[in-house]
Amino acid sequence: MNVFPDFGGLTGIDSLRDVVGALLTIALVAAVAALIASGVVWAFGASSGNYQLASRGRTGVLVALGVAVMAGGGVALLNWLIGVGQQL
């Protein structure tokens, strides 16, 4: 059975790829900004002895790292799956 995705079958697929690429870029930039801001909050909370603030900052760092890994890893996973599908 030879079933493969037809990426050229839809009109406007190039525009869709541009939009998705822009959204991934925005997500990664926002994740890095959140990582920096949360790191500052974590450091300030830890140095001032405010453990609730430090805990919120640590949670923000972990969430920002998770978002960055999912956004970057999603692209890598889809590229790998497309490559496997083309080998079949």
Side-chain angles (χ1 to χ4, degrees):
M1 179 186 272
N2 293 327
V3 178
F4 296 103
D6 184 13
F7 293 116
L10 294 174
T11 58
I13 194 76
D14 292 329
S15 298
L16 181 63
R17 285 183 186 174
D18 291 341
V19 168
V20 170
L23 288 175
L24 283 174
T25 302
I26 290 170
L28 288 174
V29 168
V32 169
L35 180 67
I36 292 170
S38 297
V40 169
V41 169
W42 186 3
F44 182 72
S47 69
S48 66
N50 189 344
Y51 297 111
Q52 183 177 6
L53 189 63
S55 174
R56 301 280 179 162
R58 184 175 49 241
T59 301
V61 166
L62 294 175
V63 168
L65 282 174
V67 168
V69 166
M70 287 191 318
V75 172
L77 178 65
L78 285 177
N79 286 335
W80 179 75
L81 287 172
I82 290 171
V84 168
Q86 289 176 349
Q87 290 177 358
L88 294 177

